[in-house]
Amino acid sequence: HMEVMNSMHAVQIKELCKSYKNSSFTLQINDLSLEAGSIFGLLGSNGAGKTSLLKLLMDIVRPDRGYIEILGHRPSEREKLQAKISYMPENKNLYHNMTVKKMLDYASAIIPGWDNDKALELKNIFPLEGKKRISTLSYGEKTQLYAILTFARSADLFILDEPTRGLDPIMQEQMLQLIKEESWQGKTIIFSSHQLGEIEESVDSLAMLRKGHMVLNGNLDDLKSELFLLKLEKSKISAIPPSTLDIIATHHQHKQSLILCQGGMEARQKLQADFAFLNPENVNIKDIFLILMENGGEEE
């Protein structure tokens, strides 16, 4: 039995494990908590476990073991959570033979927490032809229609699986703007993506998944101030005593190695004072992703 978790958290996960029959894949998340009212980005290559994690939150699949709490409830308490969570799945399945207008009318009648005023605003942002049959829509148009269905609800938590996939840059920007506006109103947003730029531009905190494991998790600004990058010719690496660096991962390129290290401003200044040839650089999400994901990001 676990004590009631802090109400400032919209989501808390402890010691979560989920494996699948006939697959060597296992999702394992030891500790993850998301602040209420924040935007959380879930990054990873295909097959890293992003969709699995979102489905566990939605109680579409059940964990082998572990603790999940969402908005003060367990995922299995569906009737309590139904009106509080709005979910956009990875596969934007819609009734193919319906028209856009029919689908929206139908949704307004059956979806809990549907807000007609909000739906009208969204139709202006995503101007889809009402008479068009869903079967004739492009992938991007289906995503836009799903966005209307997802955001026309007055939910507290929005769980979005690849919400910008298939969108052109202008619509992608509209979607991110929507996400930010919900967050300004105190809503919590979780969205998965493999677009590094949009995560960097919009999230408060993020987690990177690789092969079912969380290889990075934290507040975006903290990660940027507490991590730095060294780019070194391979021959120079041996000149640094191993104890000097707190290395998270190394990525060997053709002529040089990228070394991701932990340490704030002081650590960087000391390094440069001790080793003139070292030039600690600020990191962005792309650097971190490249080092941790590409060629498996060799663990030190």
Side-chain angles (χ1 to χ4, degrees), residues 31-34 40 205-208 214-219 223:
D31 192 6
L32 178 63
S33 52
L34 309 186
F40 173 75
S205 64
L206 65 107
M208 267 184 209
M214 207 159 60
V215 289
L216 188 78
N217 168 35
N219 176 291
L223 289 171

Side-chain angles (χ1 to χ4, degrees), residues 30-49:
N30 297 330
D31 192 6
L32 178 63
S33 52
L34 309 186
E35 270 179 56
S38 67
I39 302 175
F40 173 75
L42 196 54
L43 263 174
S45 318
N46 286 336

